């Protein structure tokens, strides 16, 4: 009887050792995958920073103004005239007694314009 108990205890210890061994390797694999994802996230953020800088560089007002002047004839641009703008009395405002449901509205006044 004692021998059976010792054999069962030994089998339980071996089973737990195998389980712990497998869990250890699964954990190490997950850590490596997490580190790889963190590296990829860092690279993506660096690329995004470069793209934002390039966008800001390409959208400089003086550069766009020069491009518009260079391509003035090709784009068939016309100078702005005062009569192309509307007057404030031409704006159709909603009636003042109109109730607007703002329960689903989102306040964007504190959000960044370009995230």
């Amino acid at each position: 009887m004692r021998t059976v108990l010792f054999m069962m205890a030994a089998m339980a210890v071996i089973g737990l050792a195998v389980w712990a061994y497998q869990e250890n390797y699964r954990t190490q694999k997950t850590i490596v995958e997490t580190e790889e994802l963190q590296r990829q996230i860092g690279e993506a953020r660096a690329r995004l920073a470069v793209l934002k800088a390039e966008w800001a560089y390409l959208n400089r007002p003086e550069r766009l103004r020069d491009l518009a002047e260079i391509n003035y004839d090709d784009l068939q641009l016309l100078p702005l005239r005062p009569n192309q703008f509307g007057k404030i009395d031409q704006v159709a405002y909603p009636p003042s007694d109109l109730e607007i449901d703002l329960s689903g509205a989102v306040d964007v006044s504190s959000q960044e314009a370009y995230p």
Side-chain angles (χ1 to χ4, degrees), residues 38-85:
Q38 291 293 337
R39 185 189 62 75
Q40 290 175 359
I41 290 170
E43 289 174 357
R45 286 185 176 158
R47 283 193 313 269
L48 181 60
V50 169
L51 290 173
K52 284 182 177 180
E54 288 177 354
W55 181 257
Y57 178 76
L58 292 174
N59 283 315
R60 294 183 329 264
E62 60 275 2
R63 177 184 172 276
L64 295 176
R65 187 179 325 109
D66 292 342
L67 285 174
E69 288 175 7
I70 291 170
N71 298 303
Y72 188 81
D73 294 328
D74 294 336
L75 295 174
Q76 298 178 353
L77 300 175
L78 298 174
L80 292 176
R81 294 185 313 269
N83 63 353
Q84 291 175 313
F85 295 95

